[in-house]
Amino acid sequence: MKTANNEHHQHGYAQDQQALIHRLSRIEGQVRAIKAMTERGEYCIDIVTQISATTSALKSVAQLMLNDHLEHCVHDAVHTGGEVADQKIQEVQKVVAKLMKA
């Protein structure tokens, strides 16, 4: 797999990849169900409730991905030190800020 700077690298989530794909498939199904509910003209609150559940599921996947990133990629970069470590830490700070806005 390639990283942001095109190096070949096994990502931290490699061990959890199949579980993450399974979760994302379930979320994909939830989104399709929300679309179908909307097409059928179902009650607004029921649709919003499903959107909330889907949003929560996505945040859960993001948290797992971030934890894997911290435990592997950032951990390795910190041990390497220097500019690599600084870049990984800044990268995490930016993504955490984005997640907190969502």
Side-chain angles (χ1 to χ4, degrees), residues 51-87:
I51 291 170
S52 177
T54 304
T55 301
S56 179
L58 277 171
K59 285 183 177 183
S60 177
V61 169
Q63 183 179 1
L64 289 171
M65 295 285 288
L66 183 57
N67 286 343
D68 280 344
H69 183 68
L70 288 169
E71 291 172 2
H72 296 93
C73 303
V74 175
H75 180 265
D76 292 347
V78 168
H79 282 291
T80 301
E83 190 176 319
V84 172
D86 293 342
Q87 288 174 345

Side-chain angles (χ1 to χ4, degrees), residues 8-29:
H8 288 282
H9 177 76
Q10 183 174 2
H11 293 288
Y13 64 85
Q15 286 181 297
D16 300 324
Q17 188 172 13
Q18 289 307 310
L20 289 166
I21 290 169
H22 177 73
R23 281 179 162 215
L24 289 167
S25 293
R26 285 181 42 212
I27 292 167
E28 184 179 24

Side-chain angles (χ1 to χ4, degrees), residues 29 34-35 61:
I34 292 167
K35 180 182 176 194
V61 169

